[in-house]
Amino acid sequence: MRLRLAAFLLILPFFLQLLGFGKTPLGGGLCGELFLVQNPALAFQTPGFWYALLFMGLLALELGYGLSLLLLPLLEVPIGPGWRRLGRYLVGVMGGLFLLTRITGLPAPGPGGWVLERAPVDPLSLLLVGLSLAGGFLLRENGGHGATS
């Protein structure tokens, strides 16, 4: 049951990101700048565009991982500790990159060379990362209660 809830929490951010493309009051989310492109030339894209591409890829990986948590038990494939650990690492990378892009920024190509620019924090991006972290928390082995079963 916990794995199903974790899968739901890991799948949901991918679809909630669609709210960011619709200009809702929640903000653009992790990938909102992807469709704000004014100039199609990649050399003139802002760091926010590159961050959005990075997070769209991570959300797609998270979606695939969440779907695997739902489908593998249906195929009678056991989900071992290594597979859970992979999910926690994926969520950890998402959380770490979220913090880096919001606190200091990551090196990204810009019109004048490489720049460090912070991404804005909005309620939708906080919701997406929060759901991912909650899903990763549910992936811990044994729920933290003693010996393996």
Side-chain angles (χ1 to χ4, degrees), residues 35-66:
F35 293 108
L36 298 177
V37 176
Q38 301 293 329
N39 189 345
L42 290 179
F44 294 108
Q45 299 308 323
T46 64
F49 171 80
W50 298 106
Y51 297 161
L53 276 179
L54 172 70
F55 281 110
M56 196 64 191
L58 285 171
L59 285 173
L61 285 173
E62 208 172 271
L63 171 69
Y65 181 82

mmCIF file of all heavy atoms in Angstrom, residues 35-66:
data_model
loop_
_atom_site.group_PDB
_atom_site.id
_atom_site.type_symbol
_atom_site.label_atom_id
_atom_site.label_comp_id
_atom_site.label_asym_id
_atom_site.label_seq_id
_atom_site.Cartn_x
_atom_site.Cartn_y
_atom_site.Cartn_z
ATOM 1 N N PHE A 35 7.755 27.238 -22.124
ATOM 2 C CA PHE A 35 6.891 27.715 -23.194
ATOM 3 C C PHE A 35 6.811 29.232 -23.265
ATOM 4 O O PHE A 35 5.972 29.778 -23.957
ATOM 5 C CB PHE A 35 5.497 27.103 -23.062
ATOM 6 C CG PHE A 35 5.512 25.624 -23.307
ATOM 7 C CD1 PHE A 35 5.338 24.737 -22.272
ATOM 8 C CD2 PHE A 35 5.729 25.125 -24.582
ATOM 9 C CE1 PHE A 35 5.380 23.370 -22.500
ATOM 10 C CE2 PHE A 35 5.771 23.765 -24.818
ATOM 11 C CZ PHE A 35 5.591 22.890 -23.775
ATOM 12 N N LEU A 36 7.687 29.920 -22.551
ATOM 13 C CA LEU A 36 7.749 31.377 -22.621
ATOM 14 C C LEU A 36 8.818 31.837 -23.601
ATOM 15 O O LEU A 36 9.162 33.004 -23.635
ATOM 16 C CB LEU A 36 8.053 31.959 -21.238
ATOM 17 C CG LEU A 36 7.024 31.680 -20.152
ATOM 18 C CD1 LEU A 36 7.494 32.262 -18.827
ATOM 19 C CD2 LEU A 36 5.673 32.238 -20.530
ATOM 20 N N VAL A 37 9.334 30.914 -24.395
ATOM 21 C CA VAL A 37 10.445 31.202 -25.297
ATOM 22 C C VAL A 37 10.022 32.244 -26.325
ATOM 23 O O VAL A 37 9.074 32.044 -27.077
ATOM 24 C CB VAL A 37 10.909 29.902 -25.994
ATOM 25 C CG1 VAL A 37 11.982 30.205 -27.010
ATOM 26 C CG2 VAL A 37 11.396 28.907 -24.975
ATOM 27 N N GLN A 38 10.740 33.372 -26.329
ATOM 28 C CA GLN A 38 10.479 34.438 -27.301
ATOM 29 C C GLN A 38 11.320 34.248 -28.554
ATOM 30 O O GLN A 38 10.871 34.452 -29.658
ATOM 31 C CB GLN A 38 10.804 35.803 -26.680
ATOM 32 C CG GLN A 38 10.011 36.100 -25.426
ATOM 33 C CD GLN A 38 8.531 36.269 -25.703
ATOM 34 O OE1 GLN A 38 8.133 36.716 -26.763
ATOM 35 N NE2 GLN A 38 7.707 35.880 -24.752
ATOM 36 N N ASN A 39 12.573 33.859 -28.349
ATOM 37 C CA ASN A 39 13.507 33.695 -29.452
ATOM 38 C C ASN A 39 13.825 32.206 -29.584
ATOM 39 O O ASN A 39 14.310 31.600 -28.643
ATOM 40 C CB ASN A 39 14.783 34.496 -29.158
ATOM 41 C CG ASN A 39 15.702 34.557 -30.340
ATOM 42 O OD1 ASN A 39 15.557 33.794 -31.295
ATOM 43 N ND2 ASN A 39 16.654 35.460 -30.288
ATOM 44 N N PRO A 40 13.594 31.615 -30.745
ATOM 45 C CA PRO A 40 13.818 30.171 -30.880
ATOM 46 C C PRO A 40 15.295 29.763 -30.885
ATOM 47 O O PRO A 40 15.598 28.594 -30.741
ATOM 48 C CB PRO A 40 13.157 29.829 -32.214
ATOM 49 C CG PRO A 40 13.076 31.110 -32.959
ATOM 50 C CD PRO A 40 13.017 32.206 -31.946
ATOM 51 N N ALA A 41 16.222 30.719 -31.031
ATOM 52 C CA ALA A 41 17.645 30.368 -31.060
ATOM 53 C C ALA A 41 18.098 29.959 -29.664
ATOM 54 O O ALA A 41 17.901 30.691 -28.691
ATOM 55 C CB ALA A 41 18.464 31.552 -31.563
ATOM 56 N N LEU A 42 18.703 28.791 -29.538
ATOM 57 C CA LEU A 42 19.136 28.287 -28.235
ATOM 58 C C LEU A 42 20.190 29.180 -27.594
ATOM 59 O O LEU A 42 20.293 29.246 -26.376
ATOM 60 C CB LEU A 42 19.660 26.860 -28.369
ATOM 61 C CG LEU A 42 18.617 25.794 -28.663
ATOM 62 C CD1 LEU A 42 19.273 24.433 -28.790
ATOM 63 C CD2 LEU A 42 17.545 25.771 -27.606
ATOM 64 N N ALA A 43 20.971 29.886 -28.372
ATOM 65 C CA ALA A 43 22.017 30.736 -27.826
ATOM 66 C C ALA A 43 21.446 31.912 -27.032
ATOM 67 O O ALA A 43 22.146 32.499 -26.219
ATOM 68 C CB ALA A 43 22.904 31.258 -28.951
ATOM 69 N N PHE A 44 20.197 32.258 -27.262
ATOM 70 C CA PHE A 44 19.614 33.417 -26.602
ATOM 71 C C PHE A 44 18.620 33.056 -25.502
ATOM 72 O O PHE A 44 17.864 33.901 -25.060
ATOM 73 C CB PHE A 44 18.928 34.319 -27.643
ATOM 74 C CG PHE A 44 19.907 34.924 -28.594
ATOM 75 C CD1 PHE A 44 19.964 34.474 -29.904
ATOM 76 C CD2 PHE A 44 20.777 35.911 -28.192
ATOM 77 C CE1 PHE A 44 20.881 35.011 -30.789
ATOM 78 C CE2 PHE A 44 21.694 36.452 -29.065
ATOM 79 C CZ PHE A 44 21.749 36.011 -30.367
ATOM 80 N N GLN A 45 18.632 31.818 -25.060
ATOM 81 C CA GLN A 45 17.708 31.395 -24.009
ATOM 82 C C GLN A 45 18.241 31.798 -22.638
ATOM 83 O O GLN A 45 19.435 31.805 -22.396
ATOM 84 C CB GLN A 45 17.483 29.889 -24.061
ATOM 85 C CG GLN A 45 16.876 29.403 -25.339
ATOM 86 C CD GLN A 45 15.607 30.156 -25.718
ATOM 87 O OE1 GLN A 45 14.823 30.525 -24.874
ATOM 88 N NE2 GLN A 45 15.438 30.395 -27.003
ATOM 89 N N THR A 46 17.324 32.100 -21.735
ATOM 90 C CA THR A 46 17.689 32.474 -20.372
ATOM 91 C C THR A 46 18.051 31.222 -19.579
ATOM 92 O O THR A 46 17.672 30.112 -19.958
ATOM 93 C CB THR A 46 16.513 33.183 -19.687
ATOM 94 O OG1 THR A 46 15.427 32.253 -19.574
ATOM 95 C CG2 THR A 46 16.073 34.414 -20.467
ATOM 96 N N PRO A 47 18.742 31.393 -18.448
ATOM 97 C CA PRO A 47 19.007 30.225 -17.595
ATOM 98 C C PRO A 47 17.726 29.521 -17.144
ATOM 99 O O PRO A 47 17.713 28.314 -16.977
ATOM 100 C CB PRO A 47 19.763 30.824 -16.408
ATOM 101 C CG PRO A 47 20.437 32.017 -16.977
ATOM 102 C CD PRO A 47 19.474 32.567 -17.983
ATOM 103 N N GLY A 48 16.641 30.280 -16.959
ATOM 104 C CA GLY A 48 15.373 29.662 -16.560
ATOM 105 C C GLY A 48 14.901 28.628 -17.564
ATOM 106 O O GLY A 48 14.306 27.615 -17.196
ATOM 107 N N PHE A 49 15.151 28.855 -18.840
ATOM 108 C CA PHE A 49 14.788 27.890 -19.877
ATOM 109 C C PHE A 49 15.559 26.589 -19.688
ATOM 110 O O PHE A 49 14.995 25.498 -19.758
ATOM 111 C CB PHE A 49 15.079 28.493 -21.254
ATOM 112 C CG PHE A 49 14.940 27.513 -22.384
ATOM 113 C CD1 PHE A 49 13.700 27.188 -22.888
ATOM 114 C CD2 PHE A 49 16.057 26.907 -22.944
ATOM 115 C CE1 PHE A 49 13.567 26.274 -23.931
ATOM 116 C CE2 PHE A 49 15.942 26.002 -23.985
ATOM 117 C CZ PHE A 49 14.692 25.690 -24.473
ATOM 118 N N TRP A 50 16.860 26.707 -19.402
ATOM 119 C CA TRP A 50 17.697 25.511 -19.217
ATOM 120 C C TRP A 50 17.312 24.778 -17.937
ATOM 121 O O TRP A 50 17.303 23.549 -17.891
ATOM 122 C CB TRP A 50 19.175 25.883 -19.235
ATOM 123 C CG TRP A 50 19.564 26.462 -20.546
ATOM 124 C CD1 TRP A 50 19.835 27.774 -20.822
ATOM 125 C CD2 TRP A 50 19.672 25.771 -21.796
ATOM 126 N NE1 TRP A 50 20.105 27.929 -22.142
ATOM 127 C CE2 TRP A 50 20.022 26.727 -22.776
ATOM 128 C CE3 TRP A 50 19.502 24.449 -22.178
ATOM 129 C CZ2 TRP A 50 20.215 26.389 -24.106
ATOM 130 C CZ3 TRP A 50 19.699 24.111 -23.512
ATOM 131 C CH2 TRP A 50 20.049 25.075 -24.445
ATOM 132 N N TYR A 51 16.991 25.538 -16.869
ATOM 133 C CA TYR A 51 16.518 24.894 -15.640
ATOM 134 C C TYR A 51 15.216 24.143 -15.910
ATOM 135 O O TYR A 51 15.006 23.049 -15.408
ATOM 136 C CB TYR A 51 16.265 25.926 -14.548
ATOM 137 C CG TYR A 51 17.470 26.699 -14.072
ATOM 138 C CD1 TYR A 51 17.318 27.896 -13.394
ATOM 139 C CD2 TYR A 51 18.765 26.246 -14.295
ATOM 140 C CE1 TYR A 51 18.400 28.617 -12.944
ATOM 141 C CE2 TYR A 51 19.854 26.963 -13.859
ATOM 142 C CZ TYR A 51 19.671 28.148 -13.179
ATOM 143 O OH TYR A 51 20.742 28.861 -12.736
ATOM 144 N N ALA A 52 14.331 24.755 -16.697
ATOM 145 C CA ALA A 52 13.045 24.120 -17.016
ATOM 146 C C ALA A 52 13.260 22.821 -17.785
ATOM 147 O O ALA A 52 12.584 21.819 -17.521
ATOM 148 C CB ALA A 52 12.165 25.082 -17.806
ATOM 149 N N LEU A 53 14.199 22.824 -18.721
ATOM 150 C CA LEU A 53 14.507 21.580 -19.452
ATOM 151 C C LEU A 53 15.029 20.506 -18.511
ATOM 152 O O LEU A 53 14.642 19.337 -18.605
ATOM 153 C CB LEU A 53 15.542 21.849 -20.545
ATOM 154 C CG LEU A 53 15.047 22.380 -21.866
ATOM 155 C CD1 LEU A 53 16.223 22.612 -22.806
ATOM 156 C CD2 LEU A 53 14.042 21.464 -22.501
ATOM 157 N N LEU A 54 15.916 20.905 -17.608
ATOM 158 C CA LEU A 54 16.480 19.963 -16.640
ATOM 159 C C LEU A 54 15.377 19.357 -15.780
ATOM 160 O O LEU A 54 15.291 18.131 -15.622
ATOM 161 C CB LEU A 54 17.512 20.681 -15.763
ATOM 162 C CG LEU A 54 18.060 19.906 -14.582
ATOM 163 C CD1 LEU A 54 18.959 18.779 -15.060
ATOM 164 C CD2 LEU A 54 18.818 20.839 -13.653
ATOM 165 N N PHE A 55 14.495 20.199 -15.256
ATOM 166 C CA PHE A 55 13.438 19.695 -14.381
ATOM 167 C C PHE A 55 12.384 18.917 -15.150
ATOM 168 O O PHE A 55 11.780 17.994 -14.603
ATOM 169 C CB PHE A 55 12.815 20.834 -13.574
ATOM 170 C CG PHE A 55 13.665 21.228 -12.403
ATOM 171 C CD1 PHE A 55 14.325 22.434 -12.388
ATOM 172 C CD2 PHE A 55 13.827 20.373 -11.330
ATOM 173 C CE1 PHE A 55 15.120 22.791 -11.326
ATOM 174 C CE2 PHE A 55 14.629 20.717 -10.253
ATOM 175 C CZ PHE A 55 15.277 21.935 -10.248
ATOM 176 N N MET A 56 12.148 19.257 -16.409
ATOM 177 C CA MET A 56 11.198 18.472 -17.199
ATOM 178 C C MET A 56 11.734 17.047 -17.384
ATOM 179 O O MET A 56 10.980 16.074 -17.288
ATOM 180 C CB MET A 56 10.956 19.136 -18.555
ATOM 181 C CG MET A 56 9.753 18.629 -19.264
ATOM 182 S SD MET A 56 8.298 19.037 -18.295
ATOM 183 C CE MET A 56 7.092 18.092 -19.109
ATOM 184 N N GLY A 57 13.032 16.934 -17.628
ATOM 185 C CA GLY A 57 13.641 15.605 -17.724
ATOM 186 C C GLY A 57 13.544 14.840 -16.416
ATOM 187 O O GLY A 57 13.226 13.638 -16.400
ATOM 188 N N LEU A 58 13.801 15.520 -15.293
ATOM 189 C CA LEU A 58 13.702 14.855 -13.992
ATOM 190 C C LEU A 58 12.262 14.451 -13.676
ATOM 191 O O LEU A 58 12.019 13.370 -13.134
ATOM 192 C CB LEU A 58 14.244 15.771 -12.892
ATOM 193 C CG LEU A 58 15.759 15.904 -12.842
ATOM 194 C CD1 LEU A 58 16.171 16.992 -11.866
ATOM 195 C CD2 LEU A 58 16.407 14.584 -12.468
ATOM 196 N N LEU A 59 11.309 15.314 -14.025
ATOM 197 C CA LEU A 59 9.904 14.949 -13.803
ATOM 198 C C LEU A 59 9.496 13.759 -14.671
ATOM 199 O O LEU A 59 8.721 12.904 -14.237
ATOM 200 C CB LEU A 59 8.987 16.144 -14.086
ATOM 201 C CG LEU A 59 8.964 17.242 -13.035
ATOM 202 C CD1 LEU A 59 8.147 18.426 -13.520
ATOM 203 C CD2 LEU A 59 8.440 16.731 -11.713
ATOM 204 N N ALA A 60 10.030 13.683 -15.878
ATOM 205 C CA ALA A 60 9.732 12.542 -16.753
ATOM 206 C C ALA A 60 10.331 11.258 -16.173
ATOM 207 O O ALA A 60 9.692 10.195 -16.200
ATOM 208 C CB ALA A 60 10.259 12.800 -18.159
ATOM 209 N N LEU A 61 11.559 11.341 -15.643
ATOM 210 C CA LEU A 61 12.164 10.162 -14.999
ATOM 211 C C LEU A 61 11.358 9.743 -13.774
ATOM 212 O O LEU A 61 11.147 8.551 -13.529
ATOM 213 C CB LEU A 61 13.606 10.460 -14.592
ATOM 214 C CG LEU A 61 14.632 10.496 -15.703
ATOM 215 C CD1 LEU A 61 15.983 10.970 -15.165
ATOM 216 C CD2 LEU A 61 14.774 9.125 -16.334
ATOM 217 N N GLU A 62 10.910 10.726 -13.004
ATOM 218 C CA GLU A 62 10.109 10.439 -11.826
ATOM 219 C C GLU A 62 8.778 9.789 -12.215
ATOM 220 O O GLU A 62 8.304 8.881 -11.540
ATOM 221 C CB GLU A 62 9.859 11.744 -11.074
ATOM 222 C CG GLU A 62 9.672 11.565 -9.607
ATOM 223 C CD GLU A 62 9.628 12.899 -8.900
ATOM 224 O OE1 GLU A 62 10.685 13.405 -8.511
ATOM 225 O OE2 GLU A 62 8.502 13.421 -8.747
ATOM 226 N N LEU A 63 8.176 10.260 -13.301
ATOM 227 C CA LEU A 63 6.940 9.662 -13.806
ATOM 228 C C LEU A 63 7.175 8.200 -14.180
ATOM 229 O O LEU A 63 6.407 7.311 -13.797
ATOM 230 C CB LEU A 63 6.428 10.440 -15.016
ATOM 231 C CG LEU A 63 5.261 9.832 -15.785
ATOM 232 C CD1 LEU A 63 3.991 9.876 -14.951
ATOM 233 C CD2 LEU A 63 5.063 10.540 -17.102
ATOM 234 N N GLY A 64 8.238 7.946 -14.924
ATOM 235 C CA GLY A 64 8.557 6.576 -15.314
ATOM 236 C C GLY A 64 8.823 5.684 -14.114
ATOM 237 O O GLY A 64 8.372 4.530 -14.061
ATOM 238 N N TYR A 65 9.537 6.220 -13.127
ATOM 239 C CA TYR A 65 9.820 5.442 -11.926
ATOM 240 C C TYR A 65 8.527 5.143 -11.167
ATOM 241 O O TYR A 65 8.303 4.016 -10.720
ATOM 242 C CB TYR A 65 10.812 6.193 -11.030
ATOM 243 C CG TYR A 65 11.146 5.423 -9.787
ATOM 244 C CD1 TYR A 65 12.092 4.420 -9.808
ATOM 245 C CD2 TYR A 65 10.488 5.671 -8.596
ATOM 246 C CE1 TYR A 65 12.384 3.678 -8.675
ATOM 247 C CE2 TYR A 65 10.769 4.948 -7.459
ATOM 248 C CZ TYR A 65 11.714 3.954 -7.503
ATOM 249 O OH TYR A 65 11.996 3.222 -6.386
ATOM 250 N N GLY A 66 7.662 6.156 -11.029
ATOM 251 C CA GLY A 66 6.395 5.949 -10.338
ATOM 252 C C GLY A 66 5.528 4.916 -11.038
ATOM 253 O O GLY A 66 4.899 4.075 -10.389
#
